[in-house]
Amino acid sequence: MNGRTVLGALALIVLGLLTWELRWVLLVLFGAVVLAVALDVPITLLRRLLPLNRPTALIVVLVVLVLVGGLLGQLLLPELLEQVNQLTALLPALAERLSSLARQVTWMPDLERQLMQLGTWDRLQPLGSQLLGFAGGAASTTIQLLLMALLAILLALDPRSHQKVVVAMTPDFWRPQMRSLLTECRQALGGWLAGMTLSAVSVFLLTWAGLALLGVPLGLLSALVCGLLTFVPTIGPTAATLLPLAVALLVSPGKMVQVLVLRLVLQNAEAFLLTPMLLRRTVNLLPTVALTAQLCLGALLGLPGVLLALPLVVVLQVFCEEVVVKEVMDRWA
């Protein structure tokens, strides 16, 4: 082993340690890139339709997003807040219903006794410190989201200059491939975001309509949760089903079965029909790859890692196809 090999190995170790120490900065940066691509999709479409420069198109897109968000908030926010208050009022009844069901099962421990044990002062003191830590984490997350939004606007304002910086850091003989790779990553990520947004909106509207037809309370809140968690495939839709099931349980067990059937139909339609149709021209992720990425990044980075796992896998899949497969494996004699 010569000195150059040792130096290269040490450089890789230092780079890995530096990456781990700066993981939250890199996470915010990648989230900003995802938001910038999400902004770039309507900006590109608007510039194709109208003779606008990029700053003007960005301002128009931001103004439209604010107006649409304000209009939807004015229409839906009062009912949504009312349903949140109703959910808070229904939680004791739901706990009592689950406790009564648990008492009917002989092999299940007494749920009420366990809840009473959790209410002792010795158990509540650590809970208070955890709540303080949660409040501090929420404040830090808010700052990170604001920085992410600011970086996304700056990236969307002048993406070519940032692309030139990345290309300039690449060896001269591989710069054409790097330009092509960045373009393909942007197209794949933009197509994935557009497809998942349409899929989430469809799930939200269909779930809201289905719950309204079934007469299940808190339909808007449940549908909103189901729509948002569509961006977290495999884990999200399953977790989102728990809220409408719990609310339907307060009505009747039969109503809970109806809601379960509704969610199973919508989940399978979204997973096997709607999403593949919307993403057929961009990228198609295997469920095993998506779930593994979510579990790995969730264990390393928590909830932000779970949320950004799928966009990162989209980019890594394009990178592997264009670099690892075409440039290494296909040329390996």
Side-chain angles (χ1 to χ4, degrees):
M1 183 179 293
N2 54 26
R4 182 176 296 180
T5 304
V6 174
L7 185 61
L10 291 176
L12 288 177
I13 293 174
V14 171
L15 181 62
L17 293 175
L18 184 62
T19 302
W20 177 251
E21 290 296 328
L22 298 177
R23 61 190 182 278
W24 290 108
V25 177
L26 297 177
L27 189 69
V28 170
L29 181 59
F30 181 72
V33 172
V34 174
L35 291 178
V37 173
L39 290 174
D40 188 63
V41 173
I43 288 174
T44 303
L45 180 61
L46 186 61
R47 295 187 67 190
R48 289 176 182 175
L49 299 176
L50 299 174
L52 299 175
N53 55 21
R54 176 166 284 272
T56 304
L58 175 61
I59 293 174
V60 172
V61 169
L62 292 176
V63 170
V64 170
L65 288 177
V66 171
L67 291 178
V68 172
L71 179 61
L72 291 177
Q74 185 177 2
L75 293 175
L76 301 179
L77 190 58
E79 183 178 355
L80 187 62
L81 291 176
E82 181 181 354
Q83 292 191 6
V84 170
N85 293 329
Q86 292 177 5
L87 178 62
T88 305
L90 290 175
L91 286 178
L94 178 60
E96 179 62 29
R97 188 66 178 269
L98 292 175
S99 179
S100 63
L101 291 176
R103 284 193 293 266
Q104 297 176 7
V105 182
T106 57
W107 53 267
M108 185 177 291
D110 188 3
L111 182 61
E112 185 177 359
R113 178 175 53 83
Q114 293 183 356
L115 292 176
M116 291 300 295
Q117 289 179 355
L118 291 176
T120 60
W121 176 251
D122 294 335
R123 300 291 184 110
L124 290 177
Q125 280 184 323
L127 181 61
S129 60
Q130 291 177 3
L131 289 176
L132 291 176
F134 177 78
S140 176
T141 302
T142 303
I143 295 175
Q144 290 176 357
L145 290 176
L146 292 176
L147 291 175
M148 190 183 299
L150 178 60
L151 286 173
I153 293 174
L154 294 177
L155 290 172
L157 186 62
D158 190 9
R160 293 188 178 275
S161 297
H162 298 89
Q163 181 178 352
K164 290 179 181 179
V165 172
V166 177
V167 173
M169 298 172 61
T170 308
D172 183 67
F173 69 91
W174 212 75
R175 286 177 182 175
Q177 289 88 338
M178 177 57 74
R179 294 189 186 95
S180 177
L181 179 63
L182 292 176
T183 301
E184 292 186 9
C185 287
R186 184 261 171 230
Q187 292 176 351
L189 190 56
W192 182 83
L193 287 170
M196 292 304 298
T197 300
L198 292 175
S199 180
V201 172
S202 301
V203 169
F204 164 69
L205 294 176
L206 291 174
T207 304
W208 190 10
L211 294 177
L213 290 175
L214 292 176
V216 178
L218 309 183
L220 176 60
L221 179 61
S222 301
L224 182 62
V225 172
C226 293
L228 291 177
L229 289 182
T230 304
F231 284 96
V232 188
T234 308
I235 302 175
T238 303
T241 307
L242 297 178
L243 177 59
L245 283 180
V247 176
L249 179 62
L250 294 176
V251 180
S252 67
K255 189 69 67 177
M256 185 182 69
V257 174
Q258 294 177 358
V259 172
L260 180 60
V261 172
L262 172 67
R263 283 296 301 155
L264 287 176
V265 171
L266 293 180
Q267 246 179 276
N268 286 278
E270 181 269 332
F272 297 106
L273 294 177
L274 184 59
T275 299
M277 182 181 66
L278 293 174
L279 300 181
R280 66 184 185 275
R281 294 184 178 179
T282 54
V283 62
N284 189 16
L285 298 177
L286 293 174
T288 51
V289 175
L291 181 58
T292 303
Q294 290 170 347
L295 292 177
C296 292
L297 289 182
L300 291 175
L301 302 173
L303 182 59
V306 175
L307 296 177
L308 292 177
L310 271 299
L312 182 59
V313 171
V314 170
V315 174
L316 290 179
Q317 182 167 310
V318 175
F319 179 82
C320 290
E321 290 178 355
E322 297 297 324
V323 178
V324 178
V325 176
K326 294 182 180 180
E327 297 294 331
V328 179
M329 295 301 176
D330 290 348
R331 298 184 181 184
W332 197 336

